[in-house]
Structures are given as structure tokens and as C-alpha cells.
């Protein structure tokens, strides 16, 4: 009888260890990336990597993975660290914008203000949506290079107002 009891204890221990391991591994999984649902047919979606370099005395730079969904009037931008965790969520509508970075939430009537807070510089959002679609929309002070947009590469340089800045985007294969 003793061997059967020992066998039951061993199986029970294995089941408990398996359940604990499964729970721990689930906790390590990256959260599912969910953008704001957008019911309109004009909503777009892109993902990839972006880098912004600012030519000022501090030589600021910002680079991260991203997912962008929506349109210039209403959308969501998720920003990821190299491990794929969300470091910022920027959402906007015609009435305002919200930037969430960890537990810190900032709201504003000005989307450019929150983009500057996030990246260190203003990026023309309306034009960015056009640029990602291959439309060379002119923005005062910005010069775009869309010659490689079919390869998922975009470059936009700002010469004014100072400081000069360079935005580079490389899209994921499925975003092209």
C-alpha cells in the first residue's frame, strides 16, 4: 500500500508544479497589443520602427518600435521598447489627446504637445499618415524622401523651425 500512496503524492506534486509553471509562464508572456477599435473604413494601420534625431546642443534622439492606427483626426500610437513591451500609448480624437507612459497619464487639447512630450520634437501627424501612404504632402520646413516607401522606408527631414530634425521609419513587412 505504501508504494501506491507514494505514487499518488508524486503525481499530485507533478500536477501542482505543472500548474505553477504554466501560471508563471503565462505571466511572462507579452501583453496582447490592442489598438483603439475604429469602425470607419478610412482607418489605416502601420507597424515598424521609427527613429527621430534632433540636431540641437544635446543631440537628442528617440527610437522605438511602433504601431499606428487610425487617421489624423482620431487614432492611436503605441510605442514599444526593444523587448516589445508598451512604453507609451498616445490616443487622440477631435476633442483632445491622452498620453499614457506607465502609470503616468497626461491629457491635452493639443496632439502636437503630447507628441513633443513623447519624442522630444513635433512630428506633423496629418502629413505622416499621408507619407506612410506614399503621398508627398508638403509641410512647411519638412522635406520628405518617399523614394523607398514601396520597400517600407520613409525619411523626413525638418530644416525649420530650428533645431533641425530627421525622422526615419522602417515598416514591418505586413504594413507595406
Amino acid at each position: 500500500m505504501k508504494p501506491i500512496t507514494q505514487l499518488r503524492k508524486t503525481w499530485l506534486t507533478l500536477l501542482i508544479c505543472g500548474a505553477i509553471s504554466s501560471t508563471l509562464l503565462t505571466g511572462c508572456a507579452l501583453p496582447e497589443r490592442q489598438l483603439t477599435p475604429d469602425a470607419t473604413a478610412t482607418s489605416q494601420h502601420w507597424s515598424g520602427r521609427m527613429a527621430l534625431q534632433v540636431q540641437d546642443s544635446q543631440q537628442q534622439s528617440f527610437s522605438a518600435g511602433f504601431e499606428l492606427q487610425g487617421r489624423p483626426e482620431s487614432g492611436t500610437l503605441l510605442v514599444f521598447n526593444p523587448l516589445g513591451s508598451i512604453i507609451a500609448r498616445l490616443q487622440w480624437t477631435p476633442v483632445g489627446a491622452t498620453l499614457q507612459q506607465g502609470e503616468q497619464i497626461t491629457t491635452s487639447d493639443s496632439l502636437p504637445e503630447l507628441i513633443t512630450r513623447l519624442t522630444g520634437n513635433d512630428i506633423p501627424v496629418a502629413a505622416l499618415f499621408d507619407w506612410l501612404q506614399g503621398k508627398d504632402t508638403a509641410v512647411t520646413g519638412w522635406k520628405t524622401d518617399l523614394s523607398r516607401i514601396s520597400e517600407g522606408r520613409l525619411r523626413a527631414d525638418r530644416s525649420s523651425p530650428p533645431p533641425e530634425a530627421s525622422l526615419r521609419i522602417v515598416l514591418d513587412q505586413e504594413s507595406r
Side-chain angles (χ1 to χ4, degrees):
M1 272 223 140
K2 200 171 190 180
I4 293 175
T5 306
Q6 184 64 31
L7 184 61
R8 284 184 185 160
K9 285 182 179 179
T10 301
W11 277 105
L12 183 59
T13 302
L14 286 173
L15 285 172
I16 291 171
C17 288
I20 290 171
S21 296
S22 176
T23 302
L24 290 174
L25 287 175
T26 301
C28 292
L30 292 175
E32 184 176 332
R33 298 175 181 174
Q34 292 185 351
L35 294 169
T36 305
D38 195 330
T40 67
T42 60
S43 179
Q44 299 290 319
H45 178 265
W46 296 274
S47 63
R49 296 179 316 277
M50 66 175 153
L52 178 67
Q53 279 191 309
V54 180
Q55 304 300 320
D56 61 4
S57 61
Q58 300 169 342
Q59 293 291 312
Q60 299 175 45
S61 65
F62 171 85
S63 63
F66 77 94
E67 286 186 23
L68 174 65
Q69 176 181 309
R71 52 194 187 281
E73 305 81 31
S74 177
T76 301
L77 172 65
L78 299 179
V79 180
F80 305 98
N81 67 17
L83 298 176
S85 297
I86 297 172
I87 57 174
R89 177 186 305 266
L90 179 61
Q91 294 179 287
W92 65 94
T93 66
V95 295
T98 302
L99 173 61
Q100 180 176 358
Q101 294 174 291
E103 299 296 318
Q104 182 180 2
I105 298 174
T106 307
T107 59
S108 176
D109 294 338
S110 169
L111 176 59
E113 176 187 325
L114 294 183
I115 287 177
T116 300
R117 181 179 286 237
L118 175 63
T119 65
N121 213 323
D122 186 24
I123 298 171
V125 174
L128 179 60
F129 276 88
D130 285 348
W131 297 342
L132 289 168
Q133 295 176 63
K135 300 174 189 169
D136 195 7
T137 299
V139 176
T140 302
W142 286 84
K143 179 181 176 190
T144 56
D145 179 357
L146 303 177
S147 64
R148 297 182 61 196
I149 196 69
S150 64
E151 301 168 25
R153 295 181 176 273
L154 159 78
R155 180 176 176 154
D157 296 304
R158 188 187 70 206
S159 56
S160 69
E164 293 182 359
S166 180
L167 173 66
R168 290 184 175 88
I169 293 178
V170 177
L171 298 173
D172 291 339
Q173 186 69 29
E174 66 271 5
S175 292
R176 297 182 201 164

